[in-house]
Amino acid sequence: MSLTDLLAQPASLDWHRRLAQLIREAPTPQFPLSLSTQLQELSGFDTILINTYQGRLRPLLIHDDYPAHKRQQGIDRYLSEAYLLDPFFAAVDAGLDQGAHRLKELAPDRFEASDYYHHYYRALGLADEVGLFARVAEDVVIVASLGFRADGGKLTRRTLQALRHIAPLVEVLLVEYWKWQGGQFQADLDAQAPVEAAFASFGAGVLTAREQEIVRLLLAGHSTKSAARELDISDGTVKVHRKHLYQRLGVSSQSQLFRLFLDHVALVSRQQNG
């Protein structure tokens, strides 16, 4: 089909009217809601979060559609502690800043066996998730996370392909939005306390630097083999480090390690907040 044939189709007129509206609203505060509306009609997602990430600071939420009774689990827990183990957050930290990506493509190999999944993500009821990534400034990336529940809208291959095709457009629109509206968020973004300090200090004085790296990977859902690949060491070396760090922290399972880490996050947050 030629470009002329494509643009001559009746459905093309409706799409370009929607696109024109998004372009008009890109510099305005209404844009996140308008973008959410168009993405919902396109993909049929069940939930949306649009977060702004700056380095390893706590994300700043700029739009969501979570009802009040689900905000504590879906929003508050994520922004207070869970984001540190989020595959999307890890991807941004690793340099991913454009395109549409499924969570399953970015998650570690034992994601559904991780404590992050069992203590946070599973309660969201999501069966699939797609993130639209856009670098909107030198040190700022926005991710629009579209969630699909097991009992709701299903993410099909066709829908995923459509999201990937419009990702460059969404990226440009988010850049324009941030250019005109980012200033109102920047002070809040800069003020976000880096809960990353909890990771940096967890086990300090007790664990070696290598053991702290392994703790981070294990909590995020990496298997022994996956952690070994990430660190370019052998599986056996990871097992030895895991045994030693368990002994030094006085835990006997990964679940106990996760609970100990959450207690440490809470302690660091209290210290930072005075």
Side-chain angles (χ1 to χ4, degrees), residues 47-117:
T47 64
I48 183 171
L49 290 175
I50 302 181
N51 281 310
T52 300
Y53 298 90
Q54 184 177 44
R56 296 193 62 85
L57 300 179
R58 183 185 290 120
L60 180 67
L61 178 68
I62 61 177
H63 177 76
D64 75 274
D65 65 350
Y66 275 68
H69 68 282
K70 291 187 176 181
R71 294 192 68 80
Q72 182 176 7
Q73 175 67 26
I75 306 295
D76 298 343
R77 288 195 64 188
Y78 178 79
L79 295 177
S80 65
E81 56 191 31
Y83 76 88
L84 286 166
L85 301 175
D86 176 17
F88 284 164
F89 176 80
V92 171
D93 187 48
L96 186 63
D97 60 3
Q98 61 180 350
H101 304 273
R102 292 178 76 183
L103 183 77
K104 294 178 180 179
E105 298 169 343
L106 302 177
D109 57 347
R110 297 190 71 247
F111 176 68
E112 292 191 1
S114 69
D115 288 286
Y116 168 77
Y117 179 85

Side-chain angles (χ1 to χ4, degrees), residues 115-254:
D115 288 286
Y116 168 77
Y117 179 85
H118 287 289
H119 287 269
Y120 170 73
Y121 196 82
R122 183 171 61 179
L124 301 180
L126 300 180
D128 219 329
E129 192 172 0
V130 176
L132 297 173
F133 290 66
R135 182 168 296 280
V136 297
E138 183 177 355
D139 60 345
V140 178
V141 175
I142 290 180
V143 179
S145 301
L146 314 182
F148 298 83
R149 289 196 297 265
D151 60 349
K154 182 179 179 181
L155 177 64
T156 65
R157 182 179 301 178
R158 186 178 181 86
T159 297
L160 180 60
Q161 191 67 17
L163 289 171
R164 285 175 169 159
H165 284 174
I166 70 165
L169 168 65
V170 172
E171 181 179 357
V172 170
L173 292 172
L174 284 170
V175 169
E176 285 301 304
Y177 170 74
W178 192 256
K179 181 190 301 182
W180 297 102
Q181 300 298 323
Q184 67 174 309
F185 299 108
Q186 196 62 54
D188 291 335
L189 195 58
D190 292 340
Q192 296 298 304
V195 182
E196 167 66 10
F199 258 130
S201 60
F202 183 60
V206 178
L207 303 180
T208 66
R210 176 65 84 189
E211 288 167 350
Q212 286 180 304
E213 289 179 306
I214 291 174
V215 165
R216 181 192 296 270
L217 292 172
L218 293 177
L219 290 177
H222 287 270
S223 66
T224 298
K225 288 186 177 181
S226 179
R229 286 195 301 270
E230 289 286 322
L231 299 174
D232 196 24
I233 58 180
S234 69
D235 298 1
T237 301
V238 172
K239 291 178 181 178
V240 170
H241 282 306
R242 184 178 62 190
K243 179 180 179 181
H244 287 168
L245 70 89
Y246 275 19
Q247 291 173 341
R248 290 170 180 172
L249 294 175
V251 300
S252 58
S253 68
Q254 191 160 316

